[in-house]
Amino acid sequence: MVKLTIELIQSSMQYMNPCRDRELDLRGYKIPQIENMGATLDQFDTIDYSENDIRKLDGFPLLKRLKCMFFNNNRIVRIGENLEQYLPNLDTLILTNNNLAELGDLDPLASLSKLKTLSLMHNPVANKQHYRAYIAFKLPGLKLLDFRKIKQKEREEANNLFKSKKGKEMQKEIIRKAKTFVPGGNMPDPKVTSLTPQEIHKIREAIKNASSLQEVERLTRMLQAGQIPGQKPLQPQTHTNGQEVEEEMETNQNGR
């Protein structure tokens, strides 16, 4: 894992891409967060952040020139607020293969008035009911979603749906899910699972430190079932913080 330093930005590859845009290549450094981007001096039309470990889309200074960003194959679960204040001319955002899970998590993108192209392919949110309709409704200026054109009829149907009484209720539920979903935060009542508060706390910590969405889901299912890691054989996991916690919990349990 490499910190995104001023030195790294200045030493990274810079070139004129096939679209005749000036591009900065920050691919594959396993950068955990966006920072120090003021060092670009707003000299780039495109920045490629693909193949890193970024979890949240934020941390930008004012970049008036920037039009296109690539975030393929990161770990993004959140989008920062007020992006329009820092990226006023962003028109293309590629978020393919990340961990965005709820429709409401996409709401901050609505402030990007110049956004025309958006990809959320291979994110859990892309499997949600009314996924395309919700985005068409929330982002009226968007032209391409997942490299498919949003047709006028599709947008009209989306507007009719979400402006209806039923659609307004759906929006409330979407917002509620986005606000209440925190990895490790939506835990069932310990009376239901028969787990002690200490056991629930340990699994919460394991979920918070999980290195993948699959690990989060697996640990959450275990907690909902009232199962303590170590009580039953688990599928082997390697190189995850969650496994380290499981091993520690099993040791503690055997030592009681």
Side-chain angles (χ1 to χ4, degrees):
M1 189 174 291
V2 176
K3 187 174 181 180
L4 184 54
T5 63
I6 294 173
E7 292 75 19
L8 178 61
I9 292 169
Q10 292 175 341
S11 63
S12 293
M13 186 177 297
Q14 307 172 15
Y15 53 88
M16 197 70 70
N17 66 24
C19 296
R20 305 297 299 168
D21 286 337
R22 186 165 176 78
E23 182 168 338
L24 174 64
D25 188 347
L26 295 172
R27 295 176 66 99
Y29 290 110
K30 300 303 177 186
I31 297 164
Q33 65 183 37
I34 300 166
E35 56 187 333
N36 294 315
M37 293 307 297
T40 65
L41 303 178
D42 198 14
Q43 294 181 346
F44 299 97
D45 305 287
T46 299
I47 300 179
D48 190 346
Y49 295 94
S50 300
E51 310 289 345
N52 284 296
D53 286 329
I54 297 167
R55 289 177 174 266
K56 186 175 180 181
L57 192 64
D58 69 350
F60 301 100
L62 177 60
L63 298 172
K64 292 182 178 180
R65 180 171 174 174
L66 189 61
K67 297 186 299 182
C68 177
M69 294 195 298
F70 296 97
F71 286 93
N72 303 294
N73 305 319
N74 275 270
R75 300 164 65 185
I76 294 172
V77 296
R78 287 289 180 271
I79 297 172
E81 301 287 342
N82 304 316
L83 288 179
E84 78 284 357
Q85 296 181 16
Y86 309 103
L87 307 169
N89 294 306
L90 189 70
D91 66 27
T92 300
L93 180 59
I94 307 300
L95 293 165
T96 301
N97 196 25
N98 279 277
N99 294 330
L100 291 160
E102 298 294 336
L103 291 173
D105 294 337
L106 308 178
D107 284 358
L109 297 178
S111 68
L112 295 170
S113 60
K114 300 285 184 69
L115 194 64
K116 298 293 186 293
T117 300
L118 174 65
S119 174
L120 293 162
M121 297 171 68
H122 306 300
N123 280 259
V125 71
N127 297 317
K128 291 287 185 179
Q129 187 178 20
H130 304 304
Y131 160 70
R132 283 186 64 88
Y134 186 74
I135 294 177
F137 171 69
K138 296 295 289 189
L139 282 71
L142 196 69
K143 303 298 183 186
L144 290 175
L145 175 59
D146 298 340
F147 307 103
R148 286 174 49 203
K149 184 177 180 180
I150 299 177
K151 297 181 180 179
Q152 183 60 29
K153 182 179 179 181
E154 184 179 11
R155 196 180 301 279
E156 289 173 356
E157 290 175 348
N159 290 339
N160 290 336
L161 172 61
F162 284 103
K163 288 180 180 179
S164 68
K165 182 177 180 180
K166 177 183 176 182
K168 289 177 181 178
E169 291 300 317
M170 290 167 55
Q171 289 185 66
K172 291 179 182 179
E173 180 66 11
I174 286 169
I175 293 171
R176 184 190 68 79
K177 286 184 177 180
K179 287 184 176 180
T180 58
F181 176 77
V182 177
N186 295 338
M187 298 293 102
D189 191 319
K191 294 179 181 178
V192 175
T193 63
S194 76
L195 301 179
T196 68
Q198 292 79 10
E199 289 167 339
I200 290 176
H201 175 72
K202 287 181 179 180
I203 301 182
R204 277 181 176 155
E205 291 302 308
I207 291 173
K208 289 179 181 179
N209 293 320
S211 61
S212 69
L213 183 62
Q214 291 76 14
E215 183 72 4
V216 171
E217 293 173 345
R218 186 179 71 85
L219 289 166
T220 300
R221 286 196 300 271
M222 291 178 65
L223 183 54
Q224 290 171 340
Q227 179 184 346
I228 301 296
Q231 285 184 336
K232 294 182 180 180
L234 301 173
Q235 293 295 325
Q237 303 288 328
T238 58
H239 303 296
T240 67
N241 291 332
Q243 173 65 14
E244 292 171 3
V245 174
E246 289 169 7
E247 291 174 351
E248 178 186 348
M249 291 168 67
E250 183 175 2
T251 300
N252 291 342
Q253 188 175 22
N254 292 336
R256 283 204 296 256

